[in-house]
Amino acid sequence: MVAVLVLVGAVTVVRAGVRTVAKLFDDTQQRQEYEDELEGLVLFDPVPFDGIENIDDLTLREAAVWGCVYSIQETQGSFDNCNTDPDTEQLLLPSVDVDAYLAKLVGPSFKMNHKTFEMEDMTIEFDETTQCYRSPSPAVWAATAPP
């Protein structure tokens, strides 16, 4: 009986040790953070590039705008608290938010020139006076955003 109890105790200690070591090397949370940060960029399947200074400006602009939209959905769950144009119901994304997302993605030293651009089957307008990107209504974003 003592031998069986010793064997059970030894197996329990070994299993606990293996789980503890596995937890020490578990980087699931870090991988999820990387996935969340890079999702806006890889969503568009960019052409391979050697360094961030060689990436297409349009790709970064798309990634930054989509990243902001995705971040809103992740943190707020909906676009109800977002600024929208009262006449057109277009979503208004301040350029400072787009810059902040881009800085988080590629670093603070990278500066983007804000301007209107085409994205798949929608146009994202940049309004110089409000310094905001005007995009389709939040309902369109919700329908086209990644799951």
Side-chain angles (χ1 to χ4, degrees):
M1 185 70 159
V2 172
V4 170
L5 290 176
V6 168
L7 183 61
V8 169
V11 168
T12 302
V13 169
V14 168
R15 286 183 61 197
V18 168
R19 273 188 256 143
T20 301
V21 169
K23 283 184 182 179
L24 288 173
F25 292 102
D26 183 18
D27 62 350
T28 304
Q29 183 177 357
Q30 186 179 23
R31 287 176 185 255
Q32 185 62 44
E33 289 173 13
Y34 287 148
E35 182 179 328
D36 290 344
E37 288 178 17
L38 297 175
E39 187 161 17
L41 180 59
V42 298
L43 186 66
F44 297 102
D45 195 22
V47 176
F49 54 91
D50 293 330
I52 198 64
E53 64 280 349
N54 298 330
I55 193 170
D56 179 29
D57 190 48
L58 176 62
T59 301
L60 282 178
R61 193 173 291 110
E62 288 175 341
V65 169
W66 260 106
C68 285
V69 169
Y70 182 72
S71 177
I72 291 168
Q73 281 190 313
E74 282 289 303
T75 58
Q76 299 176 17
S78 71
F79 297 103
D80 295 341
N81 297 328
C82 294
N83 293 332
T84 56
D85 185 298
D87 299 326
T88 64
E89 295 184 3
Q90 289 179 310
L91 184 64
L92 300 176
L93 293 170
S95 61
V96 294
D97 291 350
V98 174
D99 285 336
Y101 181 85
L102 190 63
K104 191 169 94 172
L105 183 65
V106 298
S109 63
F110 192 86
K111 299 296 179 208
M112 181 173 64
N113 295 323
H114 297 287
K115 60 185 175 182
T116 299
F117 63 97
E118 296 287 324
M119 196 165 120
E120 293 184 17
D121 53 353
M122 64 177 84
T123 300
I124 309 298
E125 299 174 44
F126 183 70
D127 186 344
E128 291 285 339
T129 58
T130 62
Q131 292 292 299
C132 288
Y133 282 96
R134 295 174 163 272
S135 67
S137 71
V140 172
W141 280 111
T144 60

